[in-house]
Amino acid sequence: MLTSRLFAPEQKEKPFGSHAEYADYLFACVDVRLEAYIAGMKPLLLNEGGGYRNVLYPDIETAHDLCQKRLTDFSATLAACSPPASGPAGAGPDAETEDLFAALAGEGAPGTPPGTPPIGEMLAYVESRAQVTDHAAVPLPIHTLSRKLGLTPFSLFCFAAALLSATQTNYAVIFQIVGQNASLTAPSLESAARVYRGPEFSLTAAAGDMSLALEQLAPLLDMNVNKTMPFSTVLSPDKRMLDFLFGASPLRLDEKYNRFFSLLTDGEELDPLLAGESQLDALRIAFAGGTRVFSLYGDEGSGRRFTIRHFCAERRLNCVGLDCGKLFAYDFAFVEKALWALARECVLTDACCCLAHLGYREEEKEKFFGYMDLALSKLTENKLTVFTSSQEKLPLKEITRLDFAQFELPAPSGLEREELWRYYARPYEFESDVDLVEMAAKFLFTPGKIKNALKMGRSLA
């Protein structure tokens, strides 16, 4: 039974006080395995003269010391923040910590030093504390993502190792040693598996876990997967991933694609839905029936985006918009990467997405259909809700085999136009001869055009 301060059993039901504390515990799980793995490498790399056989490996002592120092510093921080444990002299926190690191540094069979818990127990300990934490008061974005994507313990370990390599620059030497490659400063899938399993590692036994981890981490990490050697894939989070987990503005959209992306839901109170209620009802029914692709079309100002925003507000969803008119002008590789980034934004921010500014000339039909099929496939494989917004009805049956629902937002009826004119006219003052009922009858405007007409009228006045 583990008796160290780091994973004390009596603390298993204690909530985390911050996301930083949660992350430090997760990193400690990785550090313990890294330290054990590097300690096990040492005897295998020594030559008869006591030195190391490869020019890379003199750094192995530095790597080993770095892991131990991080664990020691983390344990010392915990000791400073926690009240002293009761018990006989010499059995308090300091003694426990010393016992742990004496065990970690002790000699023995390569792999797990005496006194070190199995990696499964350490991750279960972190998970137990995360589950009893009030996420409304103490958000834990790493844990939330892990639960959302159903990460296995090994996939979570890989993700934590990748985050550790990206946030601790001095860990470059550690992952160079572990990967036995001087140019590899981040973990690969295989090196993470070797560290995770220790002496029990075998490629055939670990292949299933590595393959699943590759699939589970694909929505989060921009990975260049080698098709012939997929387990050599390097795990390295980019700036957007780090900003979301540790930055001051986690909901700010990926800056690499901000000329294409926009946030349709801004949290502000929406105007009431005064037209198109039947279309929103039909959308609700289709969604309840399992449909996740919706195509809305109608004249300018018909309320396509407005309807989507109402739908999202009801379900407390965000919505990320994509300007397809701009994006589809680029080559296939760039579009594919941008669509992956869009899907990730939706995963990170609990959002659906809206493909907007859709249209094509006849000579661009084949290219447009190909990009639309790619977009719908990429987004729905992450189980996202997708909207398309266009003025003309899209021939979706020719574009995709996915199930979809298509709705036209027609011009509002006469009574609806009267209500819209009265509602949007509230902030304005009019001459006595202005008759809003006459305006509604004379101008067959969409809701958006009514709102814009009033704005323009005030500007002209």
Side-chain angles (χ1 to χ4, degrees), residues 428-442:
Y428 303 97
E429 295 181 5
F430 298 92
E431 296 290 343
S432 59
D433 60 346
V434 174
D435 187 342
L436 294 179
V437 174
E438 182 182 352
M439 299 282 282
K442 185 175 181 180

Side-chain angles (χ1 to χ4, degrees), residues 99-339:
D99 289 343
L100 169 67
F101 291 106
L104 286 173
E107 295 185 8
T112 304
T116 305
I119 182 60
E121 287 185 15
M122 290 189 287
L123 290 173
Y125 175 95
V126 177
E127 173 65 19
S128 176
R129 291 191 58 183
Q131 287 187 5
V132 298
T133 301
D134 180 1
H135 288 224
V138 183
L140 303 178
I142 297 177
H143 181 259
T144 300
L145 277 180
S146 173
R147 296 294 296 273
K148 186 186 299 184
L149 297 174
L151 298 188
T152 63
F154 174 65
S155 296
L156 179 59
F157 180 87
C158 290
F159 189 44
L163 292 172
L164 188 57
S165 72
T167 55
Q168 306 291 326
T169 55
N170 58 353
Y171 266 55
V173 65
I174 294 176
F175 289 105
Q176 286 172 332
I177 295 295
V178 168
Q180 301 184 48
N181 186 333
S183 64
L184 195 61
T185 58
S188 68
L189 202 60
E190 182 182 339
S191 67
R194 290 181 181 277
V195 172
Y196 184 84
R197 288 175 172 255
E200 298 176 356
F201 174 84
S202 77
L203 192 59
T204 52
D209 284 345
M210 289 191 287
S211 180
L212 181 57
L214 200 58
E215 294 174 13
Q216 291 187 329
L217 295 176
L220 300 179
L221 303 180
D222 186 6
M223 299 181 287
N224 294 315
V225 180
N226 185 329
K227 294 181 179 180
T228 59
M229 294 188 298
F231 300 151
S232 68
T233 300
V234 177
L235 308 174
S236 181
D238 60 3
K239 182 177 182 296
R240 173 61 183 123
M241 191 75 255
L242 298 178
D243 284 345
F244 175 78
L245 295 175
F246 307 112
S249 304
L251 296 183
R252 186 176 64 183
L253 298 176
D254 193 331
E255 59 191 32
K256 290 187 294 186
Y257 301 101
N258 58 13
R259 65 189 185 279
F260 306 109
F261 298 170
S262 61
L263 194 61
L264 270 62
T265 46
D266 52 16
E268 295 183 2
E269 185 177 352
L270 287 170
D271 292 331
L273 193 71
L274 302 176
E277 182 67 39
S278 60
Q279 283 74 23
L280 182 57
D281 279 340
L283 200 159
R284 294 180 185 120
I285 293 169
F287 183 84
T291 302
R292 292 298 179 267
V293 178
F294 302 95
S295 179
L296 277 61
Y297 66 98
D299 193 13
E300 181 184 349
S302 58
R304 287 166 278 144
R305 295 206 317 171
F306 188 61
T307 301
I308 294 169
R309 292 175 67 197
H310 265 277
F311 176 84
C312 292
E314 292 175 356
R315 284 155 185 78
R316 296 184 180 180
L317 286 171
N318 290 314
C319 185
V320 180
L322 173 66
D323 188 337
C324 295
K326 285 184 180 179
L327 181 63
F328 288 0
Y330 288 79
D331 62 70
F332 183 88
F334 183 85
V335 171
E336 186 176 33
K337 188 67 71 176
L339 290 170

